[in-house]
Amino acid sequence: MREDQYVALSRLVQILGRRRTVRSGPRLTENTLIRVGIDLLLERADRLVGNSEAELRASVLDDPPPMPQGPALFDLGDGQRTDTASRR
């Protein structure tokens, strides 16, 4: 895992934790999100094609993610945006 991915996951865990409507139950962690990502990848394994990380990623996404227009959910600090709301 790259450092920028871990930082983004940590920030997303904090945001999701604040959004929770039910405080009981298992705690959300970076590992929770990693497991969700792995489950999603395995569910779409039949779509995997490509010779690079970028090609493999693109092959399992439903549609190319649109460029977010509104305020970002959070900024990764390197000019990249992370806007999960626009991908729902």
Side-chain angles (χ1 to χ4, degrees), residues 31-42:
N31 283 337
T32 306
L33 298 181
I34 291 167
R35 286 191 301 272
V36 169
I38 291 170
D39 287 342
L40 182 60
L41 179 63
L42 293 174

Side-chain angles (χ1 to χ4, degrees), residues 12 15-16 19 61-74 80-88:
L12 188 52
I15 291 166
L16 293 173
R19 286 186 187 167
L61 294 176
D62 288 330
D63 297 311
M67 289 303 296
Q69 298 302 315
L73 180 59
F74 59 89
Q80 294 181 351
R81 297 166 57 107
T82 299
D83 188 354
T84 57
S86 68
R87 295 184 187 161
R88 289 185 199 164

